[in-house]
Amino acid sequence: MSSSAVRPSAPLAYVSRPVLPAACRRAPDLMVYAGDAGGRCEVFAWHAGAGRARQVTDRAQGTMRCAIDPDGVIWWFAEEADGTGAWRVQGFEGGPDTPAFAGEIPPGRPAGLVLADNGRVAVGLGDGDGLTVRLGHRAAPVEHTLTFGGHATLAGMSPAGDLVAVARAAGSPHAVTVLTADGETVARLSGERGRVWALGFAPGAPGAELLLVEEHRDRYRLVTWTPERGAHRHAWCDFDTEITAHWFPEGRRVLIRQERHGRSRLAVADLARHALTPLSVPEGTVQDAVARADGAIHCLWTDTRTPARVISVGGPAPRLPAPPPSPPPLTADTSDLWTPGPDGPVHTLLAVPPGRTAPGPVVFLVHGGPAHHDRDAYHPAVHSLIASGLAVARVNYRGSTGYGPRWRSAYGEGVGLTQAADLAAVRRDLVARGIARPGAVGLWGTSWGGYLVLLALGLQPELWRAGVAVKPIADYAAAYAQGTPALRALDAGLFGGTPDEVPERYARSSPIGYADRVRAPLLVVAATRDPKCPPAQVHSYLAALRRADAPCEELWLDSGHDGLDGADHVLMLRRSLYFLARELRSPRARRPSPRDPERR
């Protein structure tokens, strides 16, 4: 369902998935973005010249994914709670929304969208069998259909629309495949000697030049591929930690964003001149960055104390919709903590209530992924926990991004077990430094972070006083069987095989195997239509807890994994905050457990 309601100031939805509005290539004043519509995320059109916003979608499930093509037509993905759906289009000024292609197309999971200047369109949709890429023109019948078995994503299409790039697991023999529109393989780039990621073809350029990032000797470097010369490695443009990169709208310049030790750096690489120019941005995190045709670079910037705001480098700031009402800046004592570990020091972003001098309650806010990391960025949960008198530790355990290839691949003790060991090591460090009170340390995580919460509570019951697991993996083998193809591919890579091939590894890393050892009060928040962390395996885990008479509360949301309804998010946040404040600030939490190794 679409809407033509005009909103003069529809707030940008910076909190859920922080990205800048997408601008029309031919008419940069025409933009599209996901914003707040009465507590639900929906798509809006923004005319920067007129300062006018119009709500495009109005769906019960909310809408997040959107784009705008060179003709100024808005694309949005009508996603259902199970993660499947279809692309639809609507004119910038309104009117009916229609399917992206003429004819019947089965729903699928979004797996890439490319909108070329010549009107050519490539749409990737995934299902249980693999990836289907459809090529054609908007609102016309599909011209070419390409199918690929197993998990894969559409990574790019050349400006002429004659070549497409498809990405698979970055470390596989076919990490990136370049094909013609008829499906003939032109090149296959292997990631066996170093993982490879495809980042799209240069827009509007003559010929076809594909941008890639390659892992090489514990570093990351830029690579470009053309049909004429194949892969060309830019050895002068390499980095010690993870990067992502995007082409400028014209020419052979690339905007690079490096994630390093919880903070961001920006640079411009001129491939023609072999020149790398760092850009000056404040210390903190750049959540999104876009290079404009006039040379300006617009950034969505934040740090732990400051809510996200737009800054501009090398040009005037863009005229954008009003951001959401800003919460007050975080008032806390913040610092970086480095804890010695077997593969190098573990980095923690620490925030402590102002003025606290004695050991007190601490919440470990555990990130998911695992190929993700906590950043020096404003986080509403950190703000709320500090306001409740609870310190917050955000640990970038082994396996996190932002610390280089070796750290990202360090799973020496096993999947989950390695990360739980890092959480325990940081806890010991906080207790030894007089920051954490031994009997008042809790865990709170979502998705894979929720998985680590459940695993740690069972593996190390003497260390943790309380836990909150939101939409977690609770039974790894069952989650593999019930989950999406993308997550099955991820898990098979992490474990070195499927549950049928290496059952002992999955069993050793699965929280359900330790459910009878859980002693700390636990709150589990799950979703009834979650395709990534399916509800059935959560139910099995909760049943195991009940058999063990473990203290547990549960909250069920009628949503999918990436809920776009603000009311659900607020409910989860309030319940979690109340639960942790109650458990960690109670008189019981002031007494160390009899089995606590740090008991004084």
Side-chain angles (χ1 to χ4, degrees), residues 19 121 168 232 276 338 393 399 463 523 596:
V19 294
V121 176
R168 296 182 183 272
H232 177 68
L276 183 66
W338 296 86
L463 299 185
L523 169 63
D596 194 312

Side-chain angles (χ1 to χ4, degrees), residues 2 98 122 204 269 286 325 344 352 375 390 430 436 446 463 478 484 492 503 523 532 534 558 562:
S2 64
T98 59
V286 176
V352 178
R375 298 165 166 84
L390 308 174
L430 291 176
T446 299
L463 299 185
T484 67
L523 169 63
K532 297 180 181 179
D558 185 21
D562 303 312

Side-chain angles (χ1 to χ4, degrees), residues 365-421:
L365 201 58
V366 187
H367 76 73
H372 190 63
H373 64 278
D374 272 315
R375 298 165 166 84
D376 180 12
Y378 188 87
H379 194 308
V382 174
H383 188 284
S384 298
L385 288 164
I386 291 292
S388 300
L390 308 174
V392 182
R394 292 180 286 170
V395 180
N396 284 325
Y397 47 70
R398 281 172 287 175
S400 301
T401 52
Y403 299 83
R406 288 184 186 174
W407 190 260
R408 184 171 178 170
S409 303
Y411 284 83
E413 288 95 323
V415 176
L417 307 173
T418 302
Q419 291 69 37

Side-chain angles (χ1 to χ4, degrees), residues 229-490:
R229 68 186 297 183
H232 177 68
R233 291 166 175 85
H234 301 270
W236 55 272
C237 192
D238 75 336
F239 302 82
D240 63 346
T241 60
E242 284 79 357
I243 63 171
T244 188
H246 305 280
W247 292 102
F248 272 67
E250 297 174 355
R252 298 189 66 234
R253 290 191 300 163
V254 175
L255 175 61
I256 299 170
R257 184 170 89 239
Q258 181 185 14
E259 298 299 329
R260 191 174 192 278
H261 301 175
R263 293 173 177 88
S264 303
R265 296 176 177 179
L266 289 183
V268 174
D270 189 323
L271 303 186
R273 295 174 51 239
H274 289 200
L276 183 66
T277 305
L279 300 179
S280 178
V281 293
E283 183 175 89
T285 295
V286 176
Q287 296 177 315
D288 191 23
V290 177
R292 302 299 187 189
D294 61 3
I297 295 168
H298 299 160
C299 308
L300 189 60
W301 175 89
T302 179
D303 65 12
T304 298
R305 298 174 181 273
T306 313
R309 59 185 176 89
V310 177
I311 62 174
S312 184
V313 179
R319 185 180 186 184
L320 295 176
S326 288
L330 177 70
T331 303
D333 297 324
T334 60
S335 60
D336 291 45
L337 178 73
W338 296 86
T339 301
D343 292 294
V346 182
H347 183 204
T348 300
L349 297 165
L350 184 65
V352 178
R356 195 169 91 178
T357 57
V362 177
V363 173
F364 280 57
L365 201 58
V366 187
H367 76 73
H372 190 63
H373 64 278
D374 272 315
R375 298 165 166 84
D376 180 12
Y378 188 87
H379 194 308
V382 174
H383 188 284
S384 298
L385 288 164
I386 291 292
S388 300
L390 308 174
V392 182
R394 292 180 286 170
V395 180
N396 284 325
Y397 47 70
R398 281 172 287 175
S400 301
T401 52
Y403 299 83
R406 288 184 186 174
W407 190 260
R408 184 171 178 170
S409 303
Y411 284 83
E413 288 95 323
V415 176
L417 307 173
T418 302
Q419 291 69 37
D422 286 348
L423 296 176
V426 174
R427 179 194 179 279
R428 286 194 298 272
D429 198 5
L430 291 176
V431 170
R433 292 170 184 259
I435 297 169
R437 189 167 64 240
V441 185
L443 298 159
W444 183 4
T446 299
S447 194
W448 214 77
Y451 153 70
L452 290 179
V453 170
L454 298 184
L455 187 64
L457 291 181
L459 276 173
Q460 309 148 340
E462 70 280 4
L463 299 185
W464 312 106
R465 182 63 69 180
V468 175
V470 181
K471 301 178 183 178
I473 297 171
D475 181 339
Y476 228 126
Y480 180 96
Q482 300 159 13
T484 67
L487 291 179
R488 286 198 292 272
L490 171 65

